[in-house]
Amino acid sequence: MTAPVRGDPTIVKVALGTRSYDIVIGRGLLASLGARIAALRPGAKAVIVTDDNVARYHLEPAEAALRHAGVASSRVSVPAGEASKSYRVFEQVCEAVVASRIERGDLAIALGGGVVGDLTGFVAAVVRRGVDYVQVPTTLLADVDSSVGGKTAIDSAHGKNLIGAFHQPILVLADTALLDTLPEREFRAGYAELVKYGLLGDADFFSWLESNWRDVFAGGPAREHAIAESCRAKAAIVARDERETGDRALLNLGHTFGHALEAACGFSDRLLHGEAISAGMALAFEFSARRQGLLPMAEAQRAIRHLAEVGLPTRIKDIPGPLPAVDQLMDLIAQDKKVKRGMLTFILVRGIGSAFIEAGVDAREVRVFLSEKLAER
Ligand SMILES: NC(=O)c1ccc[n+]([C@@H]2O[C@H](COP(=O)([O-])OP(=O)(O)OC[C@H]3O[C@@H](n4cnc5c(N)ncnc54)[C@H](O)[C@@H]3O)[C@@H](O)[C@H]2O)c1
Ligand SMILES: [Zn+2]
């Protein structure tokens, strides 16, 4: 696998019948935002939804791109962070969108990471019973995961992402240069979701990342290539299973352990989502190898080694601060995944690039494994 030289953007199609759309990936694409929107929806006006961090760097260039193409726009900015996926901020953004006279033929633009993308997508799903929206991801996580696939949501007091809708964007514009302003820790956390596509279904892509990850971080052509490969993988899964009745669950590799650790850290800065998923994937590989005998431990170690090499946490002891005891972690897992007759559904692996859904994982096995891991602290 070789990375393309810099030049034309890469286009990945998400094939969903009348709801199909393009993911356009390349460096410096933001300047083409207005022209692309004008071509898709002639005469439409737009409201840009963003957050206060992203606004500082990228809002004015986005507005200029719209203006140059004759697309009228307004803006609404929300505080940065997960707390903006709340009823209160949702209401504020809905009201701002309505006040800016966005009609059925107009559109919303999500300029930001997964928080802005999820919030804007949900607002777009419900304002005037649904308006179109465009994703302009500004984090690596949003490039490869949240901006693709049409899951939109805000959070409930009972848990994350519980209030939402499936609503596909009409375009994803992934300008890889927008990531240059992203804090390195956020970039690295997003990289965990990117590696996930190699680990779950594409051993060649994983090998390529082992050799080229430094250029992905540095922002060279490898960054575009890695994002495009990830989007292809996600688009293929979403096209097969838009509403997660089957295969789409493979995208949850590392997420059962990961969510439990994330929740144990109170969804705080102690452990970012991608960091939790890195540790979760490492645990899923080790669990598959050592407790399920599905692959040699050496192959699991290869997966874990790469995550560690880029600076991601792979062991429970990499997580700073106190963690609850095994029973509480098991409770957190059970909250996330229903336990049916003592059995959990897990994404396990038979090797790098071959994940599968296993509905019959014995919760006792998981408990024994987790207590061993906690004891290593
Ligand atoms: N819809 C889906 O399929 C899906 C999938 C995965 C995750 N998610 C959701 O995504 C969210 C996490 O997304 P995230 O990791 O992008 O977090 P985020 O949107 O909170 O962004 C992380 C931080 O980086 C800042 N930031 C964003 N872009 C920047 C830039 N270019 N320069 C400087 N700072 C920038 C943000 O202001 C924020 O402080 C979660 O709410 C999660 O539930 C959704
Ligand atoms: Zn994730």
Side-chain angles (χ1 to χ4, degrees):
M1 214 184 284
T2 50
V5 288
R6 229 170 253 185
D8 287 342
T10 306
I11 296 179
V12 175
K13 294 200 177 295
V14 186
L16 289 167
T18 54
R19 281 167 288 108
S20 296
Y21 53 96
D22 285 351
I23 309 165
V24 190
I25 303 149
R27 193 163 253 280
L29 282 181
L30 187 62
S32 71
L33 177 65
R36 288 175 195 277
I37 284 176
L40 274 174
R41 294 288 184 273
K45 54 182 182 307
V47 54
I48 303 178
V49 184
T50 190
D51 76 28
D52 295 343
N53 287 338
V54 177
R56 212 171 315 132
Y57 302 108
H58 306 299
L59 180 56
E60 277 169 21
E63 287 176 328
L66 295 176
R67 203 164 49 241
H68 287 144
V71 178
S73 74
S74 52
R75 53 156 87 171
V76 45
S77 188
V78 303
E82 183 72 26
S84 280
K85 280 173 62 175
S86 65
Y87 287 106
R88 196 176 50 80
V89 176
F90 169 73
E91 178 184 348
Q92 286 166 358
V93 176
C94 285
E95 291 302 325
V97 171
V98 173
S100 63
R101 298 182 197 281
I102 292 298
E103 313 269 343
R104 282 296 286 279
D106 299 325
L107 44 88
I109 299 171
L111 175 69
V115 165
V116 165
D118 280 12
L119 171 68
T120 309
F122 187 44
V123 168
V126 299
V127 165
R128 296 186 179 272
R129 300 196 182 82
V131 296
D132 288 333
Y133 75 113
V134 169
Q135 291 274 16
V136 183
T138 66
T139 64
L140 183 57
L141 180 137
D143 278 324
V144 302
D145 195 355
S146 61
S147 73
V148 177
K151 278 191 182 176
T152 76
I154 58 171
D155 301 333
S156 145
H158 295 277
K160 278 184 62 172
N161 297 326
L162 292 180
I163 315 296
F166 283 95
H167 186 47
Q168 299 291 343
I170 61 165
L171 169 71
V172 181
L173 190 80
D175 179 345
T176 57
L178 303 183
L179 306 182
D180 293 347
T181 58
L182 190 64
E184 184 163 338
R185 185 177 173 200
E186 292 286 351
F187 187 93
R188 191 180 293 118
Y191 185 84
E193 301 278 9
L194 191 152
V195 180
K196 187 183 76 182
Y197 296 105
L199 292 177
L200 76 85
D202 190 341
D204 288 344
F205 181 46
F206 179 78
S207 302
W208 184 88
L209 287 170
E210 285 180 310
S211 316
N212 293 281
W213 67 271
R214 285 186 180 79
D215 192 31
V216 176
F217 275 69
R223 181 184 286 175
E224 267 136 77
H225 179 68
I227 292 172
E229 283 300 304
S230 302
C231 289
R232 270 186 209 107
K234 180 152 185 186
I237 290 175
V238 168
R240 285 204 299 274
D241 179 20
E242 186 180 5
R243 290 183 171 246
E244 196 167 324
T245 51
D247 260 14
R248 191 167 175 166
L250 289 173
L251 297 172
N252 295 332
L253 175 63
H255 281 62
T256 301
F257 287 128
H259 279 158
L261 295 171
E262 209 181 352
C265 293
F267 296 98
S268 69
D269 279 357
R270 250 175 81 196
L271 191 66
L272 301 180
H273 174 74
E275 293 169 343
I277 293 327
S278 172
M281 290 191 296
L283 291 169
F285 265 81
E286 189 178 340
F287 182 74
S288 298
R290 264 200 320 109
R291 306 242 26 130
Q292 306 279 306
L294 290 164
L295 73 161
M297 193 55 208
E299 188 166 350
Q301 267 152 358
R302 183 179 158 206
I304 296 166
R305 200 179 318 121
H306 179 59
L307 293 166
E309 184 182 21
V310 307
L312 283 163
T314 56
R315 299 166 304 184
I316 288 187
K317 65 178 171 196
D318 295 337
I319 300 165
L323 281 178
V326 71
D327 287 329
Q328 279 161 283
L329 280 181
M330 287 306 293
D331 285 347
L332 290 168
I333 286 179
Q335 273 168 29
D336 201 43
K337 305 263 168 227
K338 281 188 201 70
V339 189
K340 285 186 200 139
R341 283 181 233 97
M343 295 295 174
L344 284 162
T345 298
F346 249 82
I347 312 303
L348 299 179
V349 287
R350 292 195 182 89
I352 288 172
S354 38
F356 65 101
I357 303 165
E358 174 57 68
V361 174
D362 192 333
R364 288 169 303 183
E365 283 277 314
V366 177
R367 192 181 183 288
V368 171
F369 175 71
L370 270 183
S371 6
E372 283 170 17
K373 295 278 110 191
L374 282 166
E376 285 172 11
R377 276 169 75 84

